[in-house]
Amino acid sequence: MLAFHNMADALACPERSKNRRHRVVARLNFGETPFDVLNDFLINLNNINKDYLDGLPKWSGTFKQKRLVEYIFLITQQLKLDPSVGYHAIELLQRFMVKHVADTLAKIPNQSVAINESKRYGDLIFNNLKDTFPLILFSCVQLANKLFLHCHMIDTSTAVQFLHSFGLSVSKQTLLESELMVFKGVEYRLNVLNSLTYVEVILEVLGHNEPSVPVEHLYRLCHYVLQFVTLEQTAIYDSLLRSVCQCVSPSMEQRENFVTVTEDRMLRGVCVIAVATYILCFKRWKQVVGELSHITGIARRNITEFALVIVAHITGTSSSAV
């Protein structure tokens, strides 16, 4: 992991990051999609989200720590990729790692009790991936970028040169093999949905239902709010859990059950829009929250509670959110 620590430091230094701010691309032309098509798409997103939450695999959300997310965002910024690529790469990394962990643990003989007791599973998995993990993470970005044909494409030569510039000496063949490994690891299914997709679609519906709401301006702000929530999700969801449970130290069972909340993309998308509204046009806050509740079926109280927790973290007053 040392190579990626160096990469993060290099990407963050002023000499290399004059244009480091996350690039916001106004890709959407609000109001152009027929409402019946938009409505069908929203229903489909809702069904996909429900199916995903109903079948959450073990370790879901485990591989979305701030450091990993930050690496992915920094790579997409440095390569001037569309923001959607970063969010898509996060989901691909999550899917790959969950599958890899399951496969690794399945190979541990049941009779090897001594090994299981003397060695943590996490150590075993880390040792198996420590030399290749930076490349796996980069491969997730590459694969995600290939899905967005309208975006800036990174060819293999450019990718190898980019990695070399941050101390990762890999050949084109090694890079392609890494991409293939990730591709197989996600079972050849790259078309996953991410939180930004939910934000965009819900905003489009909101703009149709409430034409007076400045969705174009909200969309720009939503990018920054979503990036903040994605980076700080561990702290934010911990505050939300303590607020819901009304206790300082939730039990392990409560934390495990709460994964369906942390992985709920529809809820996250709605609350990101609610926070952007709170910041941009507070006078419309209650109106927009009510409309978001109407659009998604999520209770106003739940939207409000989660949104205010996020606002508390943005303003640095998170202790008051619990």
Side-chain angles (χ1 to χ4, degrees), residues 22-193:
H22 198 85
R23 197 168 61 111
V24 175
V25 181
R27 297 183 295 108
L28 297 185
N29 295 316
F30 290 100
E32 293 188 358
T33 305
F35 184 71
D36 56 341
V37 174
L38 194 59
N39 188 55
D40 288 344
F41 193 26
L42 180 64
I43 292 173
N44 186 50
L45 286 181
N46 188 47
N47 290 337
I48 291 174
N49 188 56
K50 287 182 177 179
D51 290 343
Y52 173 69
L53 295 177
D54 288 341
L56 277 178
K58 196 173 182 181
W59 307 292
S60 291
T62 304
F63 304 99
K64 294 182 180 179
Q65 300 100 322
K66 181 177 180 178
R67 194 70 173 172
L68 299 181
V69 171
E70 189 174 43
Y71 289 149
I72 290 175
F73 282 160
L74 289 172
I75 292 171
T76 57
Q77 289 170 17
Q78 187 72 7
L79 292 175
K80 298 180 173 63
L81 304 179
D82 189 277
S84 296
V85 173
Y87 293 105
H88 209 86
I90 291 169
E91 297 299 331
L92 290 180
L93 179 64
Q94 167 77 10
R95 179 182 288 182
F96 173 81
M97 289 303 300
V98 167
K99 179 71 162 54
H100 178 79
V101 169
D103 291 346
T104 301
L105 295 183
K107 294 176 182 178
I108 300 176
N110 293 330
Q111 63 269 27
S112 301
V113 178
I115 295 178
N116 292 343
E117 290 179 349
S118 64
K119 195 169 188 178
R120 294 179 180 178
Y121 289 150
D123 291 340
L124 186 151
I125 294 166
F126 174 75
N127 289 333
N128 189 31
L129 281 182
K130 64 180 180 180
D131 295 329
T132 58
F133 189 76
L135 193 54
I136 289 172
L137 192 149
F138 183 81
S139 295
C140 289
V141 175
Q142 274 287 80
L143 289 171
N145 190 48
K146 290 176 181 178
L147 288 178
F148 296 88
L149 300 179
H150 66 282
C151 299
H152 175 51
M153 301 304 295
I154 306 298
D155 59 38
T156 306
S157 297
T158 303
V160 168
Q161 184 179 6
F162 173 80
L163 291 171
H164 281 183
S165 68
F166 293 106
L168 290 176
S169 298
V170 296
S171 64
K172 292 182 180 180
Q173 181 64 29
T174 301
L175 180 59
L176 292 173
E177 289 174 353
S178 176
E179 288 187 23
L180 181 59
M181 179 180 70
V182 174
F183 192 31
K184 290 180 178 178
V186 297
E187 299 176 316
Y188 307 102
R189 293 184 293 119
L190 299 180
N191 195 23
V192 296
L193 293 173

Side-chain angles (χ1 to χ4, degrees), residues 30-31 38 201-215 291 295:
F30 290 100
L38 194 59
V201 175
I202 297 168
L203 261 182
E204 182 77 63
V205 177
L206 176 63
H208 180 278
N209 292 357
E210 295 289 346
S212 62
V213 175
V215 291
E291 187 56 40
I295 291 171

Side-chain angles (χ1 to χ4, degrees), residues 3-16:
F4 255 93
H5 281 286
N6 292 337
M7 177 182 286
D9 293 339
L11 285 172
C13 73
E15 294 79 10
R16 293 177 181 258

